[in-house]
Amino acid sequence: MKKWILAAAITAALSACANAPANVALPQGVSLIENVALAESGVGIPYKKYQLANGLTVILHQDHSDPLVHVDVTYHVGSARELPGRSGFAHLFEHMMFQGSEHVGDEQHFKTVTEAGGTLNGTTNTDRTNYFETVPSNQLEKMLWLESDRMGYFLPALTDNKFEVQRETVKNERAQRIDNQPYGRMNERFNQAFYPSGHQYSWPVIGWPEDLNRAQLDDVKHFFQRWYGPNNATLTIGGDFDEMQTLAWVNKYFGEIPRGPEVKPEAKTLVTLDKTRYISMEDRVHLPLLRMAFPTVYASHEDEAALDLLANIIGGGPTSLVYKNLVKDGYAVQAGVSHPCQELACQFSIYALANPARGGQLADVERRIRESIAEFEQRGVTDDDLQKVKVQFEANTIFGLQSVKGKVSTLALNQTFFGNPDMIAHDLKRYANVTKEDVMRVFNTYIKGKPSVVMSVVPQGQQQLIAHEDNFVAPAPRVAAEAVTGMVDVAKAGSSFDRSVMPSAQQAPVITAPSLWTDKLANGIEVMGTESDETPTVELLIYLNGGHRLTDVKQAGLAGLTAAMLNESSDKRSTEELAQALEMLGSSVSFGSSIYQSYIKVSALTSHLDETLAIVEEKLFHPGFKESDFARVQQQHLQSLQHMQSDPNYVADSQFDALLYGKDTALGVSEMGTPASVSQLTLDDVKAFYNKQFRAGNAQIVAVTNLSKAQLMPKLKGLAQWQGEATPLPSLAAMPALDAGTVYILDKPGAAQSVIKIGKRAMPYDATGEFFKSYLMNYPLGGAFNSRINLNLREDKGYTYGARSYFSGGSELGLFEASASVRSDVTAKALTEFAKEINAYQAEGMTDKELAFLRSSISQGQALDYETPYQKAGFMRKIQRYKLAADYTQQQADIIKAVDKDELNQLAKEKLNLDKMIVLIVGDRAKIEQEIKALGYQVKNLQL
């Protein structure tokens, strides 16, 4: 694709130029609306916009850098098109659209895309619903066939059974993402108070449970007929394709779909509040949370950019006033300000997680937030404030365009909401033109002295912590007489060809791994890189072997705490000064840790790499390790640990590891540590671990950049001064004997779902041996969406939002795990179905069709493996860490072609013996224990 060139200054003119349409014969009924290229100094996305006779907008963006295409169909319908008392239709319908259509069989959409080596999904928000696939470029026609069939021929395949199963799936999704999560119900409660009764944003996208129960099959049919016409959709295609052939396919598959009812834009009426509304709720949480928001404008409003800058100044990170007054002073564990915008409304949103160690009183938190707002009024706006926010916006724009999916999503969103696919140049100019006066004006207009909604979320039984007595109660919901209005008769779609014939794939693209180079710094640190000229950016990752595994188990959490301290001050500059320096560059530098590694992630515009690396070296070689920083970071870490105990998934993960690996090993204790281990750590412990971990001998570097090896290596010379030999890992303690066949229950009273984990220890990672072949073996069982386990528990039974199984391996050990979050009332039934699927697969193995499916899916999917800088970096890191051959992916491809069913089925017999596995369930014991015992399992209860 065209190489990106960043303008020298953000104030430079960045407008795209509309070229005259090329004199090319287009398919009948296809009109070229716009042909946009880029000036040499421009930043944006070149595209061509077409329209079919039925009103479908088609946007094409060619990018030949990788042999893949991304297809997105966005419908201008979300929950804002619903009516009071009829919520959840848009999201429920998104689920229904994956259940087959007139010419596509049940469950075939996922199977077809996955077998083609692709990925797919759909998402719904307040204002739009989109469906998308990323596939190897030879599969494009097949994707157009799939998308067109559900746009034009969905209703004949809609049945009561499909509707009921997907309604249950949505209920499970709600239970998993909202009802069973800390603060999960906060947003829907908040929006009831923030928006007027009956406002389109006053109900949740996923819907109220009673509204989902109220829905009828005919309501879903009418929703489709009302909103899913081609004239309310944008089809966007990006990637490696032939333009005229693609237009011909688009016209063939979509051109005969009749136009739907006309869709008018929703009115954009500014939200107002008569007074400050206080609301509160109790939840199963540890940290009290205060959320405050002021109504402002709507997306693309002339004041949006200035409000975004205002939010960043007041609460956008370590240099902000809210951070200084709440987090730095220890009154909050986290706090921030943002200005999220939707099509019809925006919120100036503030949140703070109170620190219980400082009392946790939300009235104190609110007071400090309001004092921060008042401090801004006195302080005003500085030149640095404006510059850093503008640079950040510019950099984020560039980083957001590192993938075809990112560019396609941007084009689709902008076309849907603004009628202009590429708003990048416009937005850069819009933010560049914001002045100090603009920021103060919007502050006075929308924030100063204005009413807001203030919500307190407190631990159960601790109402004394709320900020203020409630003074608002949401009115009783109304229920619209009809679920869908504006219906008109639309002709049934016909077809001039046999749509039941799935298009065959074109010739498979040649898949090549990134071209890699290797070198060493003067101190012996290995550097591996690849050149990518798609964006003028650098993604540099410094990995250090060790991480959590390098610590004594009694000091669990030390690796993460040390990394957190390295994100703080140096001995030359404060945390705030370093953050300010990075913000002014549009760069990020982040220290972190995982089980086997500590790491430094560096993202920078190429033009600012030298300055960014100077900050990396300052943080790495001259850490401040100040007592004040340590006290705050340690307290934040401890409170976060307590908070994580409210998350059933975190609890299940940590408890399952403890059962498999034992609490005497680093593998059996969370890398975050425990409250007991972290509370005993000292600053001296951090310094000692820093000296042991952050040595040149432990380090390796990977880089993805538009710079050549010859250009990059001299810029890394500062890291060549790094010294120190490699640090060996301590011996791994003996593994505990597994009490196989036992079901362990960890009680979470009132839990809406049960988290089920089934598994055992397994082999470490290898790229071409038993581990890799076991990955292949498991694919039909639980590795793909249309695997046996997921089809059974999700699609057939409606027990869960998703179920899977997998092998995971590190350098020493691995595991096999099958897992799902299921409705509490079907916990025992779900466990029975898991056992049935695993036992049958172990005994009988996969079928010939399943073998063919896994071969096709995994081998063709390699076309998607190297697109983004982080995908390339991950590929290189795997080669480094496991000392793999540079062509290991080709070796894997050869194995996929050659391995036979008998060998994989023999692995299933050896690796999937359920009698050697344990089961952990995190859920409401009072509701589930007796039914599990009735299945014949030995049950043991665990305590946190």
Side-chain angles (χ1 to χ4, degrees), residues 551-567:
T551 64
D552 186 298
V553 69
K554 295 177 182 177
Q555 293 185 313
L558 180 56
L561 196 62
T562 303
M565 285 296 293
L566 288 165
N567 284 319

Side-chain angles (χ1 to χ4, degrees), residues 43 99 155 161 210 255 359 468 555 604 624 657 677 705 745 759 796 827:
V43 177
Q99 299 310 301
L155 290 182
N161 182 63
E210 56 269 27
H468 188 281
Q555 293 185 313
D657 286 346
S677 66
T705 171
I745 297 178
D796 293 343
T827 303

